[in-house]
Amino acid sequence: MDKGDSIGSTTLTLSRADLVRYAGASGDFNPIHWSESTARSVDLPGVIAHGMLTMGAAVQLVTDWCGDPGAILDYQTRFSAMVPVDEAEGATLTVSGKVGKIDDDAGTVRIDLSVTDAGNGDAKVLTKAQAVVRVPEGTAE
């Protein structure tokens, strides 16, 4: 494994039903995530996805790559764009990841994620999205 190596990419589709399910699981029932009229009344482009839903869905790529969600030691990001979720078409996000740093002494790699929204002009949804992953001994070399 080398710095710059790709860990793959995936496409995520979020629907309004996904937002409702996430609201129930998280307790975040803010109407900007389900009510078109409320979202527009506060100058949003329409219903938007929960930031934490977007963040959580994006890190699945890292989990799939390392095979163990417990190997993710740290995950941080900055939210940089809203994700409008169209009632009919939903939202389509592209997530890709690459090795950003290898720390042989700690036995970790940093995975840098890129998350863009095709329906929003390929806006970068998350910036500085980075996961630090513990790797089995000998595989970070």
Side-chain angles (χ1 to χ4, degrees):
M1 168 182 352
D2 293 310
K3 182 178 177 182
D5 284 355
S6 172
I7 67 159
S9 64
T10 190
T11 301
L12 304 172
T13 303
L14 297 175
S15 69
R16 294 269 178 102
D18 294 326
L19 302 186
V20 171
R21 284 190 286 273
Y22 182 81
S26 69
D28 181 352
F29 294 102
N30 187 323
I32 64 171
H33 302 302
W34 55 268
S35 169
E36 189 78 25
S37 62
T38 299
R40 291 195 182 278
S41 76
V42 294
D43 296 325
L44 294 173
V47 168
I48 61 170
H50 302 75
M52 296 303 286
L53 170 59
T54 304
M55 182 181 177
V59 78
Q60 185 65 46
L61 179 69
V62 178
T63 300
D64 292 345
W65 172 75
C66 70
D68 177 9
I72 299 173
L73 304 176
D74 185 56
Y75 178 44
Q76 300 179 31
T77 191
R78 293 184 181 150
F79 300 100
S80 53
M82 293 177 279
V83 177
V85 181
D86 182 76
E87 186 171 9
E89 297 182 20
T92 302
L93 304 178
T94 301
V95 181
S96 61
K98 65 181 181 178
V99 176
K101 180 180 179 183
I102 300 170
D103 186 337
D104 290 322
D105 292 336
T108 61
V109 297
R110 188 190 74 218
I111 303 299
D112 298 339
L113 295 173
S114 171
V115 183
T116 57
D117 181 356
N120 192 13
D122 284 327
K124 284 189 166 193
V125 175
L126 304 176
T127 57
K128 293 195 65 93
Q130 300 176 331
V132 175
V133 181
R134 181 185 65 248
V135 293
E137 196 170 314
T139 58
E141 298 167 350

